[in-house]
Amino acid sequence: LKRIRKELNYTDVVEFSRMLGLGDSTVKSWEARQYFPSKSQIEKIKLLIALGETEYQKIRNSMDIFEGGHLQLEMQNITEK
C-alpha cells in the first residue's frame, strides 16, 4: 500500500487517509501490515487509482458512506431529478 500511496504522489499518510475518508491510524496500520483493508476500502483505493484525485473527489462528494463500509450513491439526488 505504501508503494501505491507514493505512486499517487502522496508522501504523507495523513493526506492519503483524508482523500480516502479514513483515519490516519487506519492507513498506518495497513502499511505496518497489522491490519488489511476491507473489500470496500480496497474498492475506494481502486477508484482513486483509476480516476485520479480530482475525479475521485467529485464521486466521493456524491456518495454516502454507511456503516459496514458500503458505498452508495445518494438516492435523494437521483430522485429529485
Side-chain angles (χ1 to χ4, degrees), residues 43-70:
E43 292 303 318
K44 285 182 181 183
I45 296 165
K46 285 180 178 179
L47 272 174
L48 178 57
I49 292 168
L51 299 175
E53 184 176 327
T54 303
E55 292 301 314
Y56 178 81
Q57 280 182 324
K58 289 178 188 175
I59 289 174
R60 185 171 162 249
N61 291 339
S62 66
M63 288 189 276
D64 277 339
I65 301 173
F66 293 95
E67 261 185 67
H70 299 289

